[in-house]
Amino acid sequence: MKGSQAIHSGISRAEAIDLLWKLKHLSDNKLSLEVPHVHFNMLLVDPAYRAEIIAMALNANCKRVRELAQRIHDANLEGQLISNHAQSNVRVLPKKALTPPAPSPRLPQREVAETASMTGDRRRDLAVKEHIVKQDIVSNEKWQAGQVYVLEGIIYVSEGAVLSIDAGVTIKGTPGSALVVTRGSQLLARGTKSKPIVFTSSAEKRLRQPGDWGGVVLLGNASMNEISAQIEGIDPSEVRGQYGGNVENSSCGVLEYVRIEYAGFALHANNELNGLTLGACGTNTVIHNVQVHKAMDDGIELFGGGVDLKNIVITGAGDDGLDWDKGCHGRVQFMVVQQDVDRGDNAIEGDSHDNDLASYPRSEPTLANLTLVGGFSKDKAQRGIVLRRGTGGHFENVLLTGFSAEAIDIRGAESAQNARRGVLTFKALMIFNTGKDGNMFFQDERNTDDDKGFDEKAYFSNTERVRLGLNPGLSARMLAKHNFSPRHLDLLQREVASKPVQGEFWDDGAQYIGAVPAQAKRTWLAGWTRFTD
C-alpha cells in the first residue's frame, strides 16, 4: 500500500518507526553483543535487512532486546516504512532497489555445462550449472542461487534494468569481460556471511592471476567536479560508460557480502579497470562487507559521489588499495588494506581533480577505523597514504605498519594548504615499522620537495593523538594469516583512540585504533573473506 496507509497489522507506521529506533538504540549501546551495529535507514526501507536484525535480536542475551524484538516481530511489518518521497532526513534506498524483480523471460543465458560429477560421491549438487552470459541486460533479471554465471565480453546493465543476484552465486569472468551497471540501472548483490556472492576468474583454481577479467563497475548520477565524464577502462566512444549528475541521494544498488577476485584488465596503457569501480554513485548505494582480492590495478576506485563504504577488505592490489578522485565525498568505516611484498603502490591514494585543482565539490571523504598494512618490501617503494591534487579528507583511528617508504605523503601546494586550514585532517594515528630501517615515518624532502615546503614530520608531531614507533602487536606470522587484531593495544588504544564520529552511519562504539579491536578472537572478516585459491 502507498501513502499513509498501513503496511502492517496492529500498529501504526509511527509506532513501528519508534520501536525500530529503540531497537537500534539498545543495540548501539551494547546491551546485546549478538546484534551488530544497526543501520536505521535500512531498518526502515529494507524488509530483508529488518528481518535479519529482528531474528538476531530475538535470540539475544539481553531480555530487553528480546522483548522489544518480539513486539516488532508480532507487529508483522511489511514493506518499507518510509516513502521515497517523504520529507525526511533519513537516507533511503529507491523503492525499486528493495524488491527483487522476477526473472526476465528473455534471460540471455545458455546452459553449457554441469559442474556436478555424474559419478563418485556426488559432492556437487546436480542442479548446479554454468550459464554463459553474452548479451547485455536491458530488462529486470535475476541470477539464481545454486547456479554459476560466466561473463563473455563486457556486459552492460542498462536502460533502467535491475540485475538481482542471489546469495551464494558465483560469477566467472573470462578474459576481456566485465560487468558494467550504467546510470539509472542497479545491481542488487546481497550475499550473506555464510553464502557470499563471488565474482572471480574463469581460469582454473591455482592458475588465476590478477587481470584475468575486468571487474565490476557501477555508474551513477550523483555529483562530481566534472559535468560529465567517461569511466576509465571503457572505450571512450561507448556512451554507456558516462557517469555523473546532480542526484545526490541516488542508488547504484547494493553490494553486501561480496568478493571480487583477480580483476582489472587494461583496455590500453594507463586505462585499466579496477576490482570495483564506483563512478558518481549516490548516498543510497549500499557497499557493505566487500572484499577485493588480487586486482591488477586499484582494489576500489571512487570517482565523485557520496557513496559510503563499511567493512571493506582490499588485499594484494597491483596499484592502490583505495583510490578516489573527481570530488569524492563519501564515508568509510572499518577497512583493511594489505599489500603483497612485490605488488602494490599506496594503500590509499586521494586526488580531487587532475587539472582544475580548485574545482568543486572538492574530494573530501571521511574515513575512520582503518588498518593499512604494507608488504614489508625491501625492493619496492610502498606508501600508506598519498594525498595530492587538491584533495581534502578526514582520517581518524588509523593503524599503519609495514610500508617501505613514507607512512603518509601529502603532495602539492593545494593539498598542503588543505592540511593547514583543516580541510585535510588527521586524528588518532599509530604508525609502526615504516621506512627503510623501520623508523623513518616521513620522507626527508630536502632534495625532493613535492609539496612546496610542507613538512609532514613537523605537522604530524603536532597532530592530536599520534603515536610513532609504538608496536601494535601485529607480527609477520599474524599478518600472513590475515589476523589484523592487535595484541598490544587493549589498554593503550583507550589513551590514543579518538571518540568515534557521530551519526547514523557510524558505529560509535568503535573507540579503537584500526579496523578491528585488540585481542579479538573473531572479527567481522570471519566467514566470508578469502585470501587464497
Side-chain angles (χ1 to χ4, degrees):
M1 298 186 182
K2 300 179 181 179
S4 60
Q5 294 179 308
I7 56 175
H8 43 77
S9 60
I11 187 172
S12 71
R13 184 189 302 269
E15 290 173 317
I17 293 172
D18 182 64
L19 289 175
L20 290 171
W21 174 254
K22 289 177 180 178
L23 179 62
K24 170 185 167 54
H25 179 74
L26 285 176
S27 170
D28 289 356
N29 280 279
K30 305 302 179 185
L31 293 181
S32 170
L33 297 179
E34 292 81 6
V35 182
H37 175 69
V38 175
H39 302 277
F40 187 56
N41 63 316
M42 291 181 67
L43 272 184
L44 298 181
V45 301
D46 190 337
Y49 177 81
R50 183 162 62 239
E52 180 182 0
I53 293 297
I54 292 170
M56 287 189 286
L58 286 169
N59 293 294
N61 288 332
C62 177
K63 182 179 179 181
R64 290 174 62 191
V65 172
R66 293 198 307 272
E67 290 176 346
L68 182 57
Q70 190 63 55
R71 288 179 63 191
I72 298 171
H73 178 269
D74 293 344
N76 190 30
L77 305 185
E78 300 173 358
Q80 66 183 96
L81 298 179
I82 292 293
S83 166
N84 290 331
H85 307 292
Q87 298 301 312
S88 170
N89 290 325
V90 177
R91 304 194 313 173
V92 298
L93 291 168
K95 188 171 183 179
K96 72 175 182 178
L98 304 176
T99 305
S104 168
R106 55 179 301 282
L107 214 59
Q109 303 167 350
R110 178 171 59 87
E111 178 184 318
V112 295
E114 289 192 353
T115 60
S117 171
M118 299 300 292
T119 61
D121 60 4
R122 295 179 182 266
R123 291 170 299 184
R124 309 280 291 208
D125 190 331
L126 295 181
V128 176
K129 303 178 186 300
E130 287 193 349
H131 302 271
I132 297 292
V133 181
K134 290 184 176 180
Q135 300 178 29
D136 294 330
I137 297 168
V138 295
S139 61
N140 292 352
E141 184 171 317
K142 184 176 183 179
W143 292 356
Q144 299 177 346
Q147 308 298 298
V148 174
Y149 297 82
V150 181
L151 306 179
E152 289 195 354
I154 298 179
I155 306 300
Y156 291 92
V157 182
S158 61
E159 299 184 27
V162 178
L163 172 60
S164 299
I165 303 178
D166 284 345
V169 168
T170 296
I171 301 94
K172 296 180 179 180
T174 58
S177 69
L179 181 66
V180 179
V181 181
T182 65
R183 281 190 295 197
S185 297
Q186 290 183 322
L187 172 63
L188 303 184
R190 190 188 297 280
T192 66
K193 181 177 289 190
S194 60
K195 295 181 179 180
I197 294 168
V198 180
F199 291 84
T200 191
S201 165
S202 63
E204 294 294 326
K205 289 185 177 181
R206 293 175 294 279
L207 296 178
R208 294 170 178 167
Q209 298 291 328
D212 276 352
W213 67 294
V216 178
V217 181
L218 304 184
L219 303 179
N221 51 10
S223 64
M224 49 188 290
N225 56 28
E226 289 186 8
I227 295 175
S228 186
Q230 180 78 8
I231 200 68
E232 292 180 0
I234 300 297
D235 192 316
S237 66
E238 174 55 73
V239 296
R240 290 174 295 182
Q242 295 176 357
Y243 66 103
N246 58 9
V247 187
E248 194 66 14
N249 65 348
S250 58
S251 173
C252 291
V254 176
L255 293 183
E256 190 164 23
Y257 289 110
V258 169
R259 292 204 313 267
I260 302 172
E261 306 170 340
Y262 307 105
F265 71 80
L267 180 67
H268 49 74
N270 300 315
N271 194 358
E272 304 91 357
L273 283 173
N274 308 290
L276 173 61
T277 303
L278 302 172
C281 288
T283 56
N284 282 328
T285 308
V286 176
I287 309 291
H288 290 172
N289 296 96
V290 173
Q291 179 185 13
V292 179
H293 183 60
K294 297 287 188 182
M296 174 174 278
D297 193 44
D298 299 332
I300 299 177
E301 186 156 13
L302 309 171
F303 295 95
V307 58
D308 295 332
L309 288 74
K310 180 168 281 189
N311 292 6
I312 302 299
V313 184
I314 302 172
T315 44
D319 190 9
D320 305 316
L322 177 69
D323 194 342
W324 67 72
D325 201 351
K326 301 189 187 302
C328 168
H329 50 279
R331 301 173 294 186
V332 180
Q333 188 176 27
F334 306 124
M335 181 176 73
V336 172
V337 178
Q338 185 178 34
Q339 295 177 310
D340 287 349
V341 65
D342 57 349
R343 304 182 71 245
D345 188 6
N346 311 308
I348 292 176
E349 181 177 276
D351 299 282
S352 190
H353 197 286
D354 290 349
N355 301 312
D356 184 2
L357 303 185
S359 58
Y360 283 87
R362 177 197 294 110
S363 289
E364 194 175 344
T366 302
L367 305 93
N369 297 102
L370 313 179
T371 295
L372 310 179
V373 181
F376 299 89
S377 177
K378 295 181 180 179
D379 303 313
K380 184 174 178 57
Q382 296 177 327
R383 294 170 174 84
I385 302 174
V386 173
L387 303 165
R388 59 185 193 174
R389 293 174 180 164
T391 190
H394 306 281
F395 297 80
E396 62 181 81
N397 290 334
V398 181
L399 172 60
L400 302 94
T401 186
F403 296 97
S404 56
E406 302 100 311
I408 302 174
D409 185 11
I410 297 174
R411 297 182 186 174
E414 294 79 9
S415 292
Q417 182 64 18
N418 288 340
R420 293 187 182 100
R421 60 193 183 95
V423 178
L424 179 58
T425 64
F426 302 84
K427 185 190 300 182
L429 308 178
M430 300 190 70
I431 303 173
F432 177 72
N433 197 9
T434 67
K436 293 294 184 181
D437 61 357
N439 291 297
M440 189 179 69
F441 306 110
F442 305 103
Q443 187 73 30
D444 183 348
E445 296 183 359
R446 286 175 293 185
N447 297 320
T448 56
D449 182 9
D450 60 10
D451 46 32
K452 305 300 181 184
F454 184 78
D455 187 339
E456 283 93 347
K457 182 177 180 180
Y459 173 81
F460 284 101
S461 296
N462 294 307
T463 298
E464 183 180 356
R465 297 181 183 178
V466 173
R467 296 292 186 273
L468 303 178
L470 183 63
N471 186 350
L474 285 173
S475 68
R477 184 174 181 180
M478 290 172 62
L479 293 173
K481 295 181 178 180
H482 312 288
N483 178 358
F484 304 102
S485 179
R487 292 179 301 172
H488 298 165
L489 298 186
D490 195 23
L491 295 176
L492 283 171
Q493 62 186 357
R494 297 181 191 175
E495 169 193 333
V496 179
S498 171
K499 185 177 180 180
V501 184
Q502 300 297 301
E504 192 280 325
F505 167 76
W506 303 100
D507 183 348
D508 54 15
Q511 190 167 350
Y512 49 81
I513 302 292
V516 296
Q519 301 184 28
K521 294 183 179 179
R522 188 173 177 85
T523 71
W524 54 265
L525 289 84
W528 62 279
T529 57
R530 185 165 180 153
F531 303 94
T532 62
D533 233 351

